[in-house]
Amino acid sequence: MRKMSFARLECRLLAMLAALAALAQCAALHAAKVIVETTCADGAVTTEEVVLEIKDSRAVFRWPREKIPANVKRIAVWPDFAEARSGEDGCWMFPNNRMGRFTRTEGRAYENWGMFMPCFGMATPRGAFCAIATGMPYSLSAEVTVQNGVYRMRALFDKYMDDLYEDISVEFRFLAGADADYSGIARAYRAYQLERGACRPITERVKDQPLLDYAVRHPEVRVRMAWKPVPSPVLEQVTRNEPPVKPVVTFDRMAHFADVCREVGVDGAEFCLVGWNVGGHDGRYPQIFPVEPTLGGEERLKACVRHVQDLGYQIAGHSSFRDCYMIADTFDAEFVVEKNPDGTLRRGKTTYGGGRLYTMCPQRAYERFCPKQCAEMATLGFKGLFYLDVVTARPIFPCPDPRHRLNNGQRATWECNILDEVRAVFGGSASEGAYDFCVGSLDSALTIQWCKPFDPPKCKLDDAYVPFWQLVYHGIVLSTPFRTMINCTANPDRRSLLKLAEFGGRPTYYVHSVFVTGRAPSMGTIDLELTTEEKLRQSALWIKEGCDDYNRRRALQFRFMDRHEDLGDGLFRVTYSDGSRLVGNYNDAPRTVDGVQVPALDYVVLPPALRTGDYR
């Protein structure tokens, strides 16, 4: 008879305790109630109580769209179990990593724009739940209110309510024991996504995507090559008034930069060329050809791509099937550009490199441009995670054009079709943000949050930013957790590199990230430049430093992030699905975590342990 190790016995006992806790919670909660509050445009408000049956620690609320008035403005769903009192242990959780403890007596937290995932949750001493919008998910918002020390949380369906294309439904997954915290809430949503086949782990996808395997193991280096003034001095650009292109990194200069990266010891990197197309970055989308002549033209670009690949690096490109400009020779206001409900063009409120910004309907962008342009760009030699701007950085919205009308469910399908085409042609797909409507078609997200991680949260009910999105998608989608962490090894504040490790980020570098005038750069003020040999070499050395640090933990990218713990006193622990732990120390002096000394402003990766404190 085999002897059971102490560690296995300990794990089984913990699992049994969690199961018993869940059973106890379910025994106490056979049914739950929600209050449905319907608010109409004329101010009329109706309420109705609905009893939910709890089965297998789950309950489903469904509100048929036939019951919803035509002039509905908002539907609020108040669960009776989404309640806590000030002073209790636990937290509430929004899907954009906002977390709050139960420490206030009055206040309100609301999330509309930042619903990166259609879920939210709450953990109290009585248990926890994860709420998942399974019907009309792109209309979901979430709200926490505190009155007289009582916290309540509710689902709000308050976006695009004039375009109801399916029943409203919310699935509640109840959690107990070791699962009753924000890590457990995230694991519940991850399980939902995997169960329904919405996404697949990286470990499975690399079998079909060998270029993804390379990308996982090495940082991304984005190089902005050329651009026109931003904001544009010309509102509606045409070829007769187009501002001049500013060529900064020619294709030959890019090849030289790759040489220097190899020379200083950058063992691997995936380069992404930004602004290689006509007009530079956002120059004339959806027109991309000819290759920008001031950078050297098409033949020099092809030579650059071959040279970088011969050095052992991957190199892909940057394009867009979302933004469009009047200057494009393919600009089509009749059939391509998105419109307002009254039929007028949906004009952007700002300008970019190509002038006033318009957006394309994703169905028309796919049908008119995507497969052909991907085939054309493939002739340049690009291979790797090809980047499409904006797609996952904004919430989706309907296309009201009667000739190609799309509700949000249909729009998500067409956005996925575009990313799937890019993945099939180039070997992988990347985009800008964290919205998960096309997570099954995405390999890498440039940025999850735009806020500054060490600044206090803006909402008075928020306590911290925690890696909730990463607890869901680490091991599924590569990411950089905060936009200000781009170029993190160039940042003298070493907390930035440590925060990148804490949130499981892939290092990302952006050469010439600072190019917009008149407003603060979104990626911070620390830039990599290739304008002189000294700056070029320093940029390569910063990338080398990032590679060396990433090599310590890159194997974890193939694992799920299972638990994140703030241990207090500037210490944290992150546990991965194989039992590995990453423990970190934000203090200016060494500290001991799990029996191991962690240097100041650094972290240690601990392999799966036989028992606490034994890492031999």
Side-chain angles (χ1 to χ4, degrees), residues 268-428:
E270 181 172 67
F271 292 95
C272 180
L273 303 189
V274 182
W276 59 269
N277 46 281
V278 65
H281 185 197
D282 266 62
R284 293 188 183 181
Y285 291 142
Q287 180 187 350
I288 55 174
F289 287 102
V291 171
E292 176 52 41
T294 63
L295 297 176
E298 185 166 324
E299 292 308 312
R300 297 314 304 157
L301 172 56
K302 290 180 178 178
C304 169
V305 170
R306 288 193 300 269
H307 182 77
V308 172
Q309 291 168 339
D310 289 344
L311 291 172
Y313 299 127
Q314 281 187 182
I315 182 168
H318 168 120
S319 192
S320 177
F321 294 108
R322 179 76 173 266
D323 300 345
C324 60
Y325 301 93
M326 189 173 288
I327 192 173
D329 62 8
T330 50
F331 188 82
D332 184 344
E334 184 178 5
F335 286 106
V336 175
V337 178
E338 289 185 311
K339 298 178 178 62
N340 298 309
D342 65 0
T344 58
L345 293 180
R346 185 174 285 166
R347 301 178 187 271
K349 297 180 181 179
T350 186
T351 65
Y352 221 59
R356 191 205 293 270
L357 183 65
Y358 296 84
T359 56
M360 290 184 283
C361 166
Q363 178 182 347
R364 296 300 294 126
Y366 178 86
E367 294 171 339
R368 177 82 174 269
F369 301 114
C370 182
K372 181 180 180 181
Q373 285 193 357
C374 285
E376 290 176 325
M377 291 186 290
T379 66
L380 303 174
F382 292 133
K383 292 181 181 178
L385 306 191
F386 198 96
Y387 182 94
L388 295 185
D389 211 7
V390 181
V391 178
T392 59
R394 298 287 186 272
I396 57 175
F397 46 84
C399 175
D401 195 311
R403 286 163 293 192
H404 42 82
R405 179 175 173 78
L406 298 178
N407 61 45
N408 274 339
Q410 294 165 330
R411 185 186 186 104
T413 297
W414 283 105
E415 298 284 14
C416 289
N417 290 343
I418 290 171
L419 287 166
D420 287 341
E421 183 73 16
V422 166
R423 179 187 274 175
V425 172
F426 298 102

Side-chain angles (χ1 to χ4, degrees), residues 132-317:
I132 305 168
T134 54
M136 294 299 295
Y138 311 117
S139 293
L140 178 70
S141 300
E143 182 187 54
V144 174
T145 57
V146 194
Q147 292 181 329
N148 298 320
V150 178
Y151 280 75
R152 292 185 175 89
M153 197 170 195
R154 64 176 179 170
L156 297 174
F157 291 85
D158 58 0
K159 296 175 287 190
Y160 315 116
M161 296 302 286
D162 58 346
D163 193 28
L164 293 168
Y165 57 89
E166 62 184 1
D167 296 345
I168 287 174
S169 61
V170 181
E171 179 178 313
F172 297 97
R173 297 196 173 195
F174 297 97
L175 310 165
D179 291 325
D181 58 13
Y182 62 77
S183 295
I185 295 169
R187 291 194 301 272
Y189 181 69
R190 184 215 299 157
Y192 165 78
Q193 290 288 74
L194 293 172
E195 286 166 8
R196 69 191 190 99
C199 53
R200 294 192 300 150
I202 288 174
T203 50
E204 293 182 13
R205 301 206 310 281
V206 293
K207 300 172 185 176
D208 309 318
Q209 296 177 251
L211 300 182
L212 173 60
D213 185 81
Y214 181 97
V216 171
R217 300 175 189 276
H218 303 291
E220 179 183 15
V221 181
R222 299 173 58 76
V223 181
R224 199 185 319 273
M225 314 189 84
W227 59 89
K228 291 181 282 186
V230 179
S232 174
V234 179
L235 181 61
E236 296 290 9
Q237 291 182 22
V238 294
T239 54
R240 292 176 176 82
N241 65 5
E242 182 178 21
V245 175
K246 180 180 180 180
V248 178
V249 182
T250 66
F251 300 130
D252 289 346
R253 186 70 169 168
M254 175 62 222
H256 173 58
F257 178 50
D259 285 334
V260 175
C261 286
R262 179 57 69 191
E263 177 187 327
V264 302
V266 175
D267 58 1
E270 181 172 67
F271 292 95
C272 180
L273 303 189
V274 182
W276 59 269
N277 46 281
V278 65
H281 185 197
D282 266 62
R284 293 188 183 181
Y285 291 142
Q287 180 187 350
I288 55 174
F289 287 102
V291 171
E292 176 52 41
T294 63
L295 297 176
E298 185 166 324
E299 292 308 312
R300 297 314 304 157
L301 172 56
K302 290 180 178 178
C304 169
V305 170
R306 288 193 300 269
H307 182 77
V308 172
Q309 291 168 339
D310 289 344
L311 291 172
Y313 299 127
Q314 281 187 182
I315 182 168

Side-chain angles (χ1 to χ4, degrees), residues 282-574:
D282 266 62
R284 293 188 183 181
Y285 291 142
Q287 180 187 350
I288 55 174
F289 287 102
V291 171
E292 176 52 41
T294 63
L295 297 176
E298 185 166 324
E299 292 308 312
R300 297 314 304 157
L301 172 56
K302 290 180 178 178
C304 169
V305 170
R306 288 193 300 269
H307 182 77
V308 172
Q309 291 168 339
D310 289 344
L311 291 172
Y313 299 127
Q314 281 187 182
I315 182 168
H318 168 120
S319 192
S320 177
F321 294 108
R322 179 76 173 266
D323 300 345
C324 60
Y325 301 93
M326 189 173 288
I327 192 173
D329 62 8
T330 50
F331 188 82
D332 184 344
E334 184 178 5
F335 286 106
V336 175
V337 178
E338 289 185 311
K339 298 178 178 62
N340 298 309
D342 65 0
T344 58
L345 293 180
R346 185 174 285 166
R347 301 178 187 271
K349 297 180 181 179
T350 186
T351 65
Y352 221 59
R356 191 205 293 270
L357 183 65
Y358 296 84
T359 56
M360 290 184 283
C361 166
Q363 178 182 347
R364 296 300 294 126
Y366 178 86
E367 294 171 339
R368 177 82 174 269
F369 301 114
C370 182
K372 181 180 180 181
Q373 285 193 357
C374 285
E376 290 176 325
M377 291 186 290
T379 66
L380 303 174
F382 292 133
K383 292 181 181 178
L385 306 191
F386 198 96
Y387 182 94
L388 295 185
D389 211 7
V390 181
V391 178
T392 59
R394 298 287 186 272
I396 57 175
F397 46 84
C399 175
D401 195 311
R403 286 163 293 192
H404 42 82
R405 179 175 173 78
L406 298 178
N407 61 45
N408 274 339
Q410 294 165 330
R411 185 186 186 104
T413 297
W414 283 105
E415 298 284 14
C416 289
N417 290 343
I418 290 171
L419 287 166
D420 287 341
E421 183 73 16
V422 166
R423 179 187 274 175
V425 172
F426 298 102
S429 64
S431 190
E432 189 173 2
Y435 291 91
D436 75 342
F437 54 83
C438 52
V439 67
S441 305
L442 186 70
D443 296 312
S444 179
L446 175 64
T447 299
I448 305 307
Q449 291 176 270
W450 286 51
C451 56
K452 297 179 180 179
F454 303 111
D455 286 355
K458 293 181 179 179
C459 178
K460 293 182 179 180
L461 287 192
D462 294 13
D463 282 296
Y465 301 118
V466 297
F468 185 79
W469 189 96
Q470 289 78 7
L471 284 158
V472 174
Y473 285 125
H474 190 283
I476 298 173
V477 179
L478 300 169
S479 68
T480 301
F482 293 89
R483 202 169 181 89
T484 53
M485 286 180 184
I486 292 171
N487 299 341
C488 64
T489 48
N491 191 337
D493 186 348
R494 306 312 292 173
R495 296 179 303 166
S496 181
L497 187 61
L498 182 55
K499 183 65 72 172
L500 181 72
E502 180 185 358
F503 278 55
R506 176 196 187 199
T508 299
Y509 293 88
Y510 211 136
V511 179
H512 294 290
S513 66
V514 179
F515 76 113
V516 177
T517 58
R519 63 175 185 259
S522 67
M523 300 177 199
T525 58
I526 299 165
D527 206 358
L528 275 61
E529 297 184 26
L530 308 187
T531 49
T532 68
E533 281 300 304
E534 181 181 3
K535 290 180 178 179
L536 183 148
R537 179 168 290 272
Q538 180 59 69
S539 296
L541 289 170
W542 277 326
I543 295 168
K544 168 67 164 61
E545 183 182 352
C547 282
D548 292 346
D549 182 80
Y550 189 50
N551 288 345
R552 301 161 59 192
R553 59 181 180 84
R554 65 183 185 180
L556 297 177
Q557 293 290 354
F558 296 93
R559 304 289 179 258
F560 296 138
M561 183 187 289
D562 267 357
R563 182 172 294 280
H564 174 268
E565 299 168 274
D566 181 349
L567 303 178
D569 192 28
L571 306 174
F572 67 85
R573 180 194 298 120
V574 183

